Amino acid sequence: GDKGGGQPRVFSLQKLVEVAAFNMDIRPRLIWSNVWGVLSNHFTAAGLHPNPKVAMYAIDSLRQLSVKFLAKDELRDFNFQRLFLRPFEAIMRDSKDPDIRELIVMACDSMIQARLGQLRSGWKTMFAVLSLGASDPSPNISALAFACAKRLATENLELLVFDFTELVNCLLAFAAANSRDATNTALVALGLVKKCAEFLGSGGVAEAMAKDPSAKDGQKPTLNGRSVAIDDNQWQLWWPLLYGLSQRVGEPRVAVRSAALEALRSTLLDHGGLFSEETWGLVFKGVIFPVMESAWTDTSPQAQVCSACPAHSPEICVGDGSSFITSTAKQVFTTCTDLFAEFPEVADVLLHETLALLNESICQEIETLSRIAASALHELVFKIPPDAPPHVWDMICTSLADVAARPLPPPLLAAPLPAANGHGPADDEAANGNGGEAEAARVRAVEDPMVKREILTQLVVTLQVQDALRSL
C-alpha cells in the first residue's frame, strides 16, 4: 500500500484474508497453527504499516478472523487461541500511532464481548493488551483499557477463574500506572484486586473451577495453558496477588501505597487462616519482610528528624508523603505484629526472623525508624499470648537482651565520670599533663552532628527497651 495517507492498494491483503478464512475451516488445528504462524507475521507487519489506512484494514480483518476462530471450542491445555491472537499484542506493543493502539484496545474489547464464553488461552493475549494499555501515554487508551478490565473483574469474575492470575496482574498494572491523573484509576484497581482476594479466599475460585464442564472427577484443576495442577493452598493464585500488593506499598504516591497496604493487611488478616506454616514462611519472607526492609533505604529529609531529648518523641510531619518512614512504616510494622496476634501458630516458625529484623531496624541510624521498630517490638511482646510455649518466650527475652546489651556510644563511654572522692579521670590526666587535649577531643566528637544523632538514637533505643522490660 501507499506509505502516505492516500487510498492504499489492499488487493493482496484481501486475498490473504480470504486464504486465512478458507484454511481455518478445512485444516486440522495442528496444521492450521503452522499456516497461521506464517500468515500472522504478514498481518502484524500490515498492522504496523506507516499508512494508517493499511494498518486499520489489517486490524479490522484480524478482528473478523479472530471472532470466527474463537467460535470453535478450545481444550483447556492448548494454546491455539493465544497464538492466533498474538498479532494484537505485537501491534499494541510496537505501534507508534495512538489511533492504531486505540483501535487494538477497541477490537479486543469487541472480541471479548462477542466471544466471552469461548475464550480460553486467548485471555492471556487479551490481558496482555489491556496491561499495555495501562501504561499507554494516551489517557483515552488507558481509560478504554481500564473500563474493559473493570467490567471483567466486576461482572465476569466467575468466568475468569482459570485465568485468575492474568486478571490480577492486569489490575496491578493499572495500579502501577503513574501517568497524569492515574491515581484515581490506581485506587479503583487496588479495590478490584481486594475484591479478587475476597473471591479467592471465600472459595469462589475453587467452586467455579469445580463447576466447569471440563473439570474431571478426582483430578485437580489447572490454569489455562498450563499443565501444573493447582495445589490445595492455591498458592499459585495467592502469590501474584500478595506480591503485587507488596510492590505497590513501595509506591511514591502516598494514597496508592496506603490503599495497597490496607488491601494487603485486610487480605492477610481475613484469609490467613487458609495458609499452612510453609505458606506463611513464603508470605513473610517474600512479602512482609521486603516491605519492612524498604524503610532502611528512606533518605528523605522528613525521615531525618531528631528529638531534642531521648525521652521525648520528635514531632513527625507526614507532609507530601515522600517519606516512607513517616507515612507508612508504622502501619507496616503494626501489620506484622497483628499477624502474630491473629495467628499465634506463626510464631513457631517465623518469630526468630521477625525479631532479628525488628532488632536490625532498631539499630538503624534514623531515630524515627528506631522508635517505630522499638514500639513494634514492644507491641509484639504484648500480643504474644502468655501461655505461649517456653521456647517462644526464650526467643523474645533473648531478643530484648540483645538490644539492651548494645554498648553505649563510644564518645559517652570515653567521657570522664566523677570518682567517689570528687575527682575524675580528667583530673588525673590533667595532673599528668595531657588531660586538656583528651577532654577537648571528646567534646569535639560529641558536638559533631552525625555523632550526636547516633548518640541520641542509641539512647532512644535504650530507653524504649527499658520501657518494654518494665512493662513485662
Side-chain angles (χ1 to χ4, degrees), residues 146-411:
F146 184 64
C148 180
K150 181 181 178 182
R151 186 182 70 249
L152 291 172
T154 305
E155 302 175 6
N156 308 114
L157 198 51
E158 290 189 359
L159 294 176
L160 298 169
V161 292
F162 291 99
D163 298 275
F164 185 82
T165 56
E166 278 71 26
L167 171 62
V168 168
N169 288 333
C170 178
L171 294 173
L172 289 169
F174 284 99
N178 201 13
S179 59
R180 183 169 54 89
D181 300 329
T183 300
N184 290 336
T185 298
L187 295 177
V188 175
L190 288 172
L192 294 174
V193 173
K194 184 178 178 181
K195 178 184 177 182
C196 291
E198 293 170 353
F199 184 64
L200 175 60
S202 64
V205 172
E207 184 178 344
M209 286 182 172
K211 291 180 180 178
D212 190 85
S214 64
K216 299 179 181 179
D217 295 335
Q219 187 173 351
K220 293 183 178 180
T222 61
L223 297 177
N224 274 337
R226 302 183 188 179
S227 58
V228 179
I230 299 174
D231 58 25
D232 294 333
N233 292 326
Q234 296 181 315
W235 181 239
Q236 299 101 314
L237 307 181
W238 279 114
W239 171 250
L241 190 151
L242 296 175
Y243 180 75
L245 287 176
S246 72
Q247 292 294 101
R248 302 280 62 78
V249 176
E251 269 275 337
R253 296 168 293 178
V254 64
V256 175
R257 69 172 175 248
S258 297
L261 178 58
E262 191 279 328
L264 179 62
R265 171 187 170 86
S266 62
T267 297
L268 291 175
L269 289 175
D270 292 344
H271 307 296
L274 302 172
F275 298 161
S276 63
E277 289 185 359
E278 181 182 1
T279 301
W280 269 119
L282 295 172
V283 169
F284 268 79
K285 294 174 185 177
V287 176
I288 301 296
F289 289 164
V291 174
M292 296 172 70
E293 291 170 357
S294 63
W296 299 353
T297 60
D298 187 353
T299 58
S300 61
Q302 293 166 300
Q304 313 299 322
V305 180
C306 294
S307 57
C309 174
H312 301 286
S313 297
E315 290 293 330
I316 298 176
C317 179
V318 176
D320 61 0
S322 60
S323 171
F324 182 89
I325 291 177
T326 59
S327 65
T328 312
K330 184 176 181 179
Q331 292 89 331
V332 171
F333 281 71
T334 300
T335 297
C336 179
T337 58
D338 287 346
L339 290 175
F340 278 94
E342 187 71 20
F343 308 104
E345 65 276 9
V346 177
D348 288 338
V349 292
L350 291 165
L351 182 60
H352 181 268
E353 294 179 66
T354 303
L355 290 171
L357 192 146
L358 287 174
N359 285 2
E360 187 68 25
S361 299
I362 289 173
C363 296
Q364 297 295 310
E365 295 183 0
I366 302 175
E367 180 184 338
T368 309
L369 177 59
S370 294
R371 285 186 181 275
I372 292 173
S375 176
L377 179 60
H378 191 200
E379 292 178 11
L380 179 61
V381 171
F382 276 91
K383 289 176 180 177
I384 297 296
D387 57 349
H391 71 274
V392 171
W393 285 109
D394 286 343
M395 283 189 285
I396 293 174
C397 293
T398 301
S399 177
L400 290 172
D402 289 342
V403 178
R406 293 177 65 220
L408 289 172

Side-chain angles (χ1 to χ4, degrees), residues 83-149:
L83 295 175
F84 191 93
L85 297 173
R86 186 178 290 173
F88 289 99
E89 181 181 356
I91 298 172
M92 183 69 183
R93 182 183 61 247
D94 298 331
S95 178
K96 307 299 182 184
D97 189 341
D99 292 334
I100 297 301
R101 298 197 302 272
E102 183 174 346
L103 183 60
I104 288 289
V105 174
M106 295 174 64
C108 288
D109 191 12
S110 173
M111 288 186 289
I112 288 172
Q113 295 186 57
R115 294 288 183 243
L116 186 65
Q118 286 81 30
L119 276 167
R120 295 286 191 176
S121 65
W123 281 118
K124 288 182 173 57
T125 301
M126 295 298 182
F127 284 123
V129 170
L130 296 178
S131 297
L132 289 170
S135 57
D136 198 281
S138 170
N140 290 337
I141 295 175
S142 58
L144 284 171
F146 184 64
C148 180

